[in-house]
Amino acid sequence: MTSTTDDETVLRGVLDRWKAAVDEHRPEDVAAVFTEDAIFQGLHPYSVGRQGVAAYYDSQPLGMKAAYRVLETRRPADGLVLGYLAVEFSFTDRPALDVKLSVLVTREGDAWSIAHYQVSQA
């Protein structure tokens, strides 16, 4: 289980789609980056599935943006990449929020999606 350039490339491919949808306040597109049965833990109670992800991001303020930095990656098994990131959520009307994010992305056919998302305050 080591961090590789390939693993980071996979992770960035998924997270760049997530970031673009977050930055443009497109909750349904954010949810589409996740698996149908994804476990999602933002800073509010957890949910399972895309509907909970969409509802969470729909409740976020307009103008919120995400900037992330990959800190670690691991490949626990074929078709899985674990990522640990530093994320800054910026807002138009309040100070930025720094969090740590753990994600598990899984390959479904030719595409990668987030199966588990866990945020903790830094």
Side-chain angles (χ1 to χ4, degrees):
M1 291 195 267
T2 60
S3 181
T4 69
T5 303
D6 289 344
D7 295 344
E8 189 166 327
T9 299
V10 166
L11 202 57
R12 287 186 181 283
V14 174
L15 291 170
D16 286 351
R17 293 184 350 242
W18 166 81
K19 176 189 172 8
V22 168
D23 289 357
E24 296 174 17
H25 196 77
R26 293 182 284 126
E28 295 298 327
D29 291 341
V30 175
V33 176
F34 289 76
T35 62
E36 295 274 348
D37 62 347
I39 299 170
F40 178 85
Q41 175 66 61
L43 293 177
H44 303 296
Y46 87 97
S47 64
V48 176
R50 290 179 179 154
Q51 182 177 357
V53 174
Y56 180 87
Y57 281 102
D58 190 43
S59 74
Q60 299 305 311
L62 292 174
M64 183 180 83
K65 308 272 188 226
Y68 71 88
R69 184 169 47 97
V70 176
L71 302 174
E72 295 286 336
T73 66
R74 300 289 187 273
R75 189 172 293 242
D78 286 341
L80 293 175
V81 175
L82 176 68
Y84 182 64
L85 306 103
V87 180
E88 179 187 82
F89 290 100
S90 61
F91 305 89
T92 59
D93 62 346
R94 59 183 159 167
L97 175 66
D98 292 314
V99 299
K100 296 297 190 267
L101 172 63
S102 292
V103 293
L104 182 65
V105 299
T106 184
R107 185 175 50 226
E108 298 177 319
D110 293 334
W112 291 85
S113 301
I114 301 170
H116 183 267
Y117 176 108
Q118 172 80 44
V119 167
S120 62
Q121 289 189 297

